Amino acid sequence: MVILLLVTVNLLTLVGDIEQPIVGYGVARVVDSRHSDFKKGDLVWGRTIGWEEYSLITTPEYLFKINHTDDIPLSYYTGILGMPGMTAYFGFFDIGSPKEGDRVYISSASGAIGQLVGQFAVGCYVVGSAGSKEKVELLKTKFGFDDAFNYKEEHDLDAALKRYFLEGIDIYFENVGGKMLDAVLLNTRHHGRIALCGMISQYNLEQPESVQNLIAVLFKQIRMEGFAVYEYYDQYSKFLDFVLPYIKEGEIVYVEDITEGLESGPAAFIGLFSGRNVGKQVVKVAQE
């Protein structure tokens, strides 16, 4: 099957052979197919799409057909209607197991996944952290978080969390790792839940930071669990049934940071590690 790439994303990119295109998630149109499940003209999103104008797909197991309607941007299938949306939904509801009134903390909260977790947490007290004043304001004014703070301005993360969570944290949606996770463990309540989604502060370190407060998991009986979104791909229709009505009724806000041109992809990707993007980082490769 040959596809024309329309939109690609710069998150969870899979780097392999140095002489081969980088592979990641994207949205594309099928231009030729010998696979019974896909035909010419179909729109698809999935993980096996390369950073290139055309890709040859021989293993389409991780491709999903898009039943596109004009009221929803195609780029949403790289975000809220794709992998990030599913990650937010299943990580929060399946591992976080939220209850009314729970106290929820989300790190990297203005990113593709964090902004959704905060909006899914209806009936909870929600605080997020981000790396700039602009992003903090976005969390409070656009995404409806109860409060937010700039972690770069906090010299003592433990003290910062105690300031925002006087009675402790019930659910932590983890995107950062390192010192942030250590501080959260000190502030998590008994029987708290931690969904380990990512640890972006650790990915480029030659020597990853150790976590000092793991004993809190034992003493406080905390559930801390990592998860991989592809384990939930068979429940994609369940996720769509949940999220599509919210999108169409305007009850969920989704912010994208769109860069034009495949040549802009490397710079956009590198910018993720310094928090340069605001919202979901997307690279637009071709017109529909």
Side-chain angles (χ1 to χ4, degrees):
M1 181 170 66
V2 179
I3 58 175
L4 167 64
L5 183 61
L6 301 175
V7 180
T8 189
V9 298
N10 298 346
L11 186 63
L12 292 182
T13 303
L14 310 177
V15 181
D17 191 324
I18 195 169
E19 295 182 354
Q20 298 299 318
I22 296 174
V23 174
Y25 286 83
V27 169
R29 186 184 300 278
V30 177
V31 296
D32 187 32
S33 175
R34 297 178 184 176
H35 194 286
S36 58
D37 292 342
F38 302 94
K39 66 181 185 299
K40 181 179 179 179
D42 282 347
L43 291 168
V44 296
W45 75 268
R47 192 182 76 179
T48 56
I49 296 171
W51 287 22
E52 54 192 355
E53 292 183 341
Y54 291 88
S55 290
L56 174 64
I57 305 295
T58 58
T59 54
E61 291 81 9
Y62 291 123
L63 286 182
F64 296 84
K65 273 189 184 180
I66 296 173
N67 296 316
H68 183 55
T69 56
D70 291 337
D71 57 337
I72 294 177
L74 270 179
S75 58
Y76 273 23
Y77 290 91
T78 68
I80 186 172
L81 292 176
M83 178 274 293
M86 292 186 71
T87 301
Y89 175 79
F90 289 107
F92 182 64
F93 288 108
D94 190 52
I95 296 176
S97 303
K99 303 185 296 294
E100 186 82 18
D102 272 350
R103 303 155 186 84
V104 179
Y105 174 51
I106 305 159
S107 56
S108 192
S110 67
I113 296 168
Q115 60 174 285
L116 293 175
V117 176
Q119 295 179 80
F120 290 163
V122 177
C124 299
Y125 169 72
V126 183
V127 175
S129 60
S132 72
K133 181 179 179 180
E134 176 189 13
K135 292 179 180 180
V136 167
E137 286 303 308
L138 194 67
L139 294 174
K140 294 191 289 186
T141 61
K142 200 171 186 72
F143 299 140
F145 282 54
D146 294 290
D147 218 329
F149 65 93
N150 184 348
Y151 71 90
K152 293 180 180 178
E153 296 178 350
E154 301 292 344
H155 302 294
D156 185 337
L157 291 173
D158 177 32
L161 292 174
K162 283 181 167 58
R163 190 165 72 246
Y164 289 96
F165 294 96
L166 299 178
E167 299 180 35
I169 298 166
D170 294 298
I171 301 173
Y172 173 44
F173 202 94
E174 163 70 302
N175 292 305
V176 172
K179 294 181 176 64
M180 183 65 78
L181 176 57
D182 241 351
V184 168
L185 288 170
L186 293 175
N187 289 276
T188 301
R189 291 162 57 90
H190 276 77
H191 300 290
R193 287 84 70 200
I194 299 176
L196 297 175
C197 174
M199 295 190 177
I200 198 165
S201 72
Q202 305 300 296
Y203 296 153
N204 291 329
L205 299 181
E206 291 185 9
Q207 183 62 46
E209 297 170 330
S210 61
V211 177
Q212 305 297 317
N213 298 316
L214 276 176
I215 198 168
V217 176
L218 172 63
F219 289 159
K220 298 182 185 180
Q221 301 171 61
I222 297 168
R223 177 189 178 189
M224 183 164 64
E225 183 176 344
F227 66 101
V229 68
Y230 55 76
E231 296 288 346
Y232 296 95
Y233 277 172
D234 61 342
Q235 300 183 58
Y236 184 52
S237 61
K238 174 185 175 181
F239 165 68
L240 288 182
D241 289 343
F242 169 84
V243 78
L244 276 174
Y246 285 100
I247 295 174
K248 292 181 177 181
E249 293 165 16
E251 295 183 12
I252 285 183
V253 177
Y254 197 65
V255 172
E256 298 174 302
D257 192 329
I258 299 178
T259 300
E260 296 278 346
L262 190 58
E263 68 279 2
S264 302
F269 175 59
I270 292 169
L272 288 173
F273 297 98
S274 60
R276 190 173 63 197
N277 60 300
V278 178
K280 174 64 180 172
Q281 181 67 71
V282 178
V283 176
K284 187 174 182 180
V285 178
Q287 298 294 330
E288 296 180 36

